[in-house]
Amino acid sequence: RIRRADRLCRKASKLDGWLDGAAPTGQMKANVFKGAVMVYRRYFEAAVSRLKDERRYRVFVHLERDVETFPHARWHRENGAVEDVTVWCSNDYLGMGQHPEVISAMVETAASVGAGAGGTRNISGTSHAIVELERELADLHGKEAALVFTSGWISNLAAISTIADLLPNCVILSDASNHNSMIEGVKRSRAEKKIFRHNDLAHLEELLIEAGDRPKLIVFESLYSMNGNMAPVAEIAALAERYGAMTYIDEVHAVGMYGARGGGISERDGVSDRVDIIEGTLAKAFGAMGGYITGGRAVVDAIRSLAPGFIFTTSVAPVIAAGATAAIRHLKQSPFERHRHQEQVRKVRGELDRLGIPNTPNPSHIVPVVVGDARKCKWLSDILLDRHGIYIQPINYPTVPRGGERLRIMPSPVHSDADIAHLVRALNDL
C-alpha cells in the first residue's frame, strides 16, 4: 500500500508523458493525490482499530468540576444527559485547585495583568509572578535557584538531556521504572545510558563502579506512581557521593504531600541538600499547571540558557504562576491537608483489605487495584461510571506492562467517609 501510494504521488507530479502524451489536468492530479491520501489514512485507522480491539483505546470522559463540591463533578453523557459523579483518579491530590486562597490569587492576577504569558520569557520578558514562584520553589527545596517549565514532562525532557550533554563522556544511570518523561530525556541526550533494576542499590553500585571516573548522572523518582512505592533516596545519595555522581530526582508525586513543608520525600528523609537536582510539578498537589527544577545556580542557569524545551516555549501564564505560588505558600505552613489526606488513604485501604479486594501494599497515598486484564479493567471502569457514578480511569499498557492493568484509586482529603463507603460497596459488588 505504501508503494502504491508513492507511485500515485509520483504520477501526479509529472507534467509530461502521461495519458498518451497529454499533460494531466488540475482535476486529474487532485484525484490522484486524493487516492494516495486515502491509502495513507488506512494505516491510522488500522492503528486505532487495534487499540480498540485490545481495549486500550483512550476514551476521554467529559467532566465538569465544581469548585463547591469537588471531588464531585458533572458528567456530560454523549446523549446530552448530565449526571453527578465522584472522581477517584484526580492528581489534584489535596484539592488545592479549588482552595479559596489559590482561586483568589489567580482571579486578582488575571484582573491585574491579563490572561496569557505573551510569549517566551526570552522575548516577552519574565513576569513578576514567575519570579515570585521560582523564589518559593527554591526555598521549598533549600536550593539556590529554580526554573519553571510548561509541564513536568517538559522539565524532565529538557533538564535531563541538557545536563547529560554538558557533562563530557557522561553515562546516565536510570531506574528501570522511571516515568516516560525521564526516559525521553535520557533518549534525547547523546550520553550513554545504563538501566539499573528498580530500587536495586546493589545493581546501581555495580554500574557506578563499572563507569569508573566518567561523569555520572543518576536519575530516579522519589515516588513511583503506578505502584506507589518509594525510592531509598538517602541510600542513593550516599552511593552518588561515594562514586562521584550527580543525582536527579523526580518528586512530582511527592511535592506538597510529604515533608514538614511539602518538600517531598527528600525533605521528609532530611536529604534535600544531598540531591543535586530536585524536579517537581505544579499540577498535582499544588493544584495548578507546569513543572520545575531546583538546584545549584550554575546548573539551573545552564539549563535556562541552553535547553530548547525551555527557550522556545511560551512561558507559564502569570495567572497560573500566582495560583501555584499561593498553593505552595499555604502548604508550607499548613500540615492539615497532608494529615487529613493520609487519614482518608488509610480508611480506603482498611476497607479494601477488610473485604478482601486486592490492592498493592505501599507506603504512599496511591492505591492500585490490579485487575491484570485490559478488557476487564475497561469493563470495570465503565460499569463504575455508568451504574455507580464513580469515575476511575483504567490504567493499561503502555503506562503499565501487559498483565499489570489496574484501577488506580487516588483518595483525597476532600473525599468524605460516605464517598469511601460508596466506592468500596461498588468495588465489592463488582
Side-chain angles (χ1 to χ4, degrees):
R1 287 176 177 174
I2 291 175
R3 287 195 296 270
R4 179 187 170 209
D6 288 340
R7 286 197 301 272
L8 289 170
C9 288
R10 285 197 297 272
K11 284 183 179 179
S13 65
K14 291 180 179 179
L15 298 179
D16 299 302
W18 196 48
L19 296 177
D20 296 326
T25 65
Q27 185 59 49
M28 291 176 181
K29 291 173 67 178
N31 288 340
V32 174
F33 275 119
K34 184 177 179 181
V37 171
M38 289 290 286
V39 171
Y40 289 140
R41 190 175 70 184
R42 292 174 188 158
Y43 292 95
F44 307 117
E45 292 171 343
V48 172
S49 180
R50 284 193 298 272
L51 291 175
K52 290 181 176 179
D53 290 342
E54 297 173 11
R55 295 296 190 272
R56 293 195 296 116
Y57 181 69
R58 298 177 186 270
V59 177
F60 292 167
V61 177
H62 183 174
L63 294 180
E64 183 182 3
R65 298 203 304 186
D66 187 334
V67 71
E68 299 292 337
T69 63
F70 183 79
H72 300 276
R74 289 180 288 273
W75 172 34
H76 293 257
R77 284 179 174 264
E78 291 185 2
N79 63 7
V82 179
E83 298 180 14
D84 290 334
V85 298
T86 306
V87 179
W88 280 98
C89 53
S90 173
N91 285 338
D92 188 356
Y93 290 139
L94 300 178
M96 293 303 294
Q98 290 75 38
H99 196 282
E101 292 177 21
V102 175
I103 294 173
S104 176
M106 297 180 76
V107 170
E108 290 175 9
T109 302
S112 174
V113 304
T120 67
R121 292 169 71 175
N122 181 53
I123 292 175
S124 300
T126 293
S127 72
H128 178 67
I130 290 185
V131 172
E132 289 292 299
L133 172 58
E134 289 177 342
R135 287 173 180 165
E136 288 292 336
L137 290 167
D139 174 77
L140 175 66
H141 296 293
K143 299 298 183 184
E144 293 178 341
L147 190 65
V148 170
F149 294 79
T150 52
S151 73
W153 197 93
I154 290 295
S155 58
N156 273 335
L157 175 75
I160 291 172
S161 60
T162 302
I163 292 169
D165 283 348
L166 289 175
L167 296 174
N169 195 30
C170 175
V171 58
I172 301 175
L173 308 176
S174 178
D175 189 285
S177 294
N178 276 342
H179 187 263
N180 170 266
S181 57
M182 304 182 80
I183 294 170
E184 292 301 320
V186 171
K187 286 181 179 178
R188 187 177 179 87
S189 78
R190 294 183 293 272
E192 181 185 1
K193 69 174 184 291
K194 300 284 187 179
I195 310 300
F196 62 93
R197 292 184 292 272
H198 178 51
N199 280 349
D200 189 328
L201 294 170
H203 190 211
L204 173 59
E205 186 169 18
E206 287 177 20
L207 296 177
L208 285 166
I209 294 171
E210 183 182 296
D213 294 333
R214 295 172 62 184
K216 298 169 282 290
L217 176 66
I218 304 172
V219 296
F220 64 105
E221 297 182 50
S222 66
L223 197 168
Y224 292 85
S225 62
M226 287 302 114
N227 291 322
N229 61 331
M230 297 177 180
V233 182
E235 289 84 352
I236 291 175
L239 285 175
E241 292 162 355
R242 186 181 309 163
Y243 295 101
M246 281 188 69
T247 45
Y248 181 106
I249 189 171
D250 176 315
E251 290 258 33
V252 297
H253 290 277
V255 290
M257 308 291 293
Y258 301 90
R261 301 194 307 158
I265 304 300
S266 54
E267 184 196 26
R268 185 199 68 179
D269 294 351
V271 293
S272 296
D273 60 330
R274 297 172 63 191
V275 177
D276 294 296
I277 299 291
I278 297 177
E279 184 266 352
T281 184
L282 307 170
K284 292 181 171 60
F286 297 132
M289 178 183 177
Y292 66 88
I293 61 165
T294 65
R297 197 173 307 282
V299 66
V300 172
D301 195 23
I303 294 167
R304 179 192 68 85
S305 302
L306 295 168
F310 174 80
I311 295 170
F312 298 106
T313 302
T314 297
S315 78
V316 169
V319 64
I320 300 293
T325 300
I328 294 166
R329 287 174 176 169
H330 175 84
L331 291 173
K332 278 180 178 178
Q333 54 82 35
S334 173
F336 169 77
E337 289 82 3
R338 287 187 284 277
H339 292 165
R340 167 71 175 172
H341 181 262
Q342 290 297 324
E343 180 182 346
Q344 297 307 89
V345 170
R346 284 192 293 271
K347 288 178 182 178
V348 170
R349 287 191 184 279
E351 287 299 295
L352 293 176
D353 291 341
R354 182 179 66 83
L355 293 169
I357 298 172
N359 62 96
T360 305
N362 64 65
S364 78
H365 59 280
I366 295 168
V367 185
V369 175
V370 177
V371 179
D373 182 281
R375 295 172 184 267
K376 290 180 181 178
C377 196
K378 179 66 169 64
W379 176 78
L380 288 168
S381 176
D382 289 344
I383 292 180
L384 284 169
L385 181 63
D386 188 58
R387 298 183 189 174
H388 300 278
I390 292 172
Y391 175 54
I392 308 178
Q393 184 72 353
I395 307 293
N396 293 333
Y397 178 84
T399 308
V400 294
R402 296 182 193 275
E405 294 83 2
R406 66 200 59 194
L407 300 174
R408 188 176 57 166
I409 301 171
M410 304 291 207
S412 78
V414 290
H415 281 100
S416 68
D417 290 351
D419 292 331
I420 295 173
H422 178 54
L423 168 70
V424 173
R425 277 196 304 270
L427 287 172
N428 192 47
D429 289 344
L430 292 175

